[in-house]
Amino acid sequence: MNPKGCVVVLEKDPPIRSLLERWLAEAGYHVVEPLPGGEEKPALVIADVRDPRDADELLLSLREYGAPILVLSARFRRGLAGSAQAARRLGVQRVLPKPFTRKELLLAVRESIEGAR
């Protein structure tokens, strides 16, 4: 197991998924495939949500991992208050609006994992 734990990434866009995997790996995380019944409980689940209004079913299925959830979406606006409200509304640890920087992603990952402890 990687020192920082494993992260499940659900991102349908291959270039973005590849970039997320690289950034996370460089930061010491191990990215695993989103398969049910994995051997290792993930430290975090990252999911791209195209339309937050239709995300209930997806988020319900992701809760089965028993890990905090970080939602990425281009539908969210920048700003801490809006993101915090959206996270509460969706019942997830954090929301990160797209586009984001490597630094913003890694901060959101760290805060999502630490906030769930």
Side-chain angles (χ1 to χ4, degrees):
M1 179 170 109
N2 251 338
K4 292 190 176 181
C6 66
V7 177
V8 174
V9 176
L10 287 96
E11 171 60 62
K12 292 182 181 180
D13 187 342
I16 294 175
R17 179 177 171 78
S18 178
L19 184 63
L20 292 172
E21 289 175 349
R22 189 178 83 218
W23 285 352
L24 290 166
E26 288 171 353
Y29 297 96
H30 175 64
V31 179
V32 295
E33 292 297 315
L35 300 173
E39 296 176 15
E40 179 177 5
K41 179 185 172 196
L44 180 67
V45 177
I46 299 175
D48 176 47
V49 174
R50 298 198 187 270
D51 188 350
R53 294 173 298 201
D54 297 329
D56 291 341
E57 190 175 322
L58 170 65
L59 294 175
L60 183 61
S61 70
L62 296 180
R63 287 188 180 87
E64 293 179 18
Y65 283 102
I69 300 169
L70 168 61
V71 169
L72 311 176
S73 184
R75 297 280 178 137
F76 296 113
R77 297 188 193 283
R78 289 233 172 261
L80 295 175
S83 294
Q85 290 170 356
R88 278 193 301 277
R89 211 171 35 250
L90 293 170
V92 299
Q93 197 69 26
R94 289 278 313 261
V95 169
L96 183 60
K98 286 182 173 179
F100 49 81
T101 65
R102 180 181 193 274
K103 183 178 179 180
E104 290 169 327
L105 172 72
L106 296 177
L107 178 63
V109 167
R110 183 174 51 82
E111 288 178 350
S112 294
I113 293 170
E114 290 176 0
R117 290 183 183 155

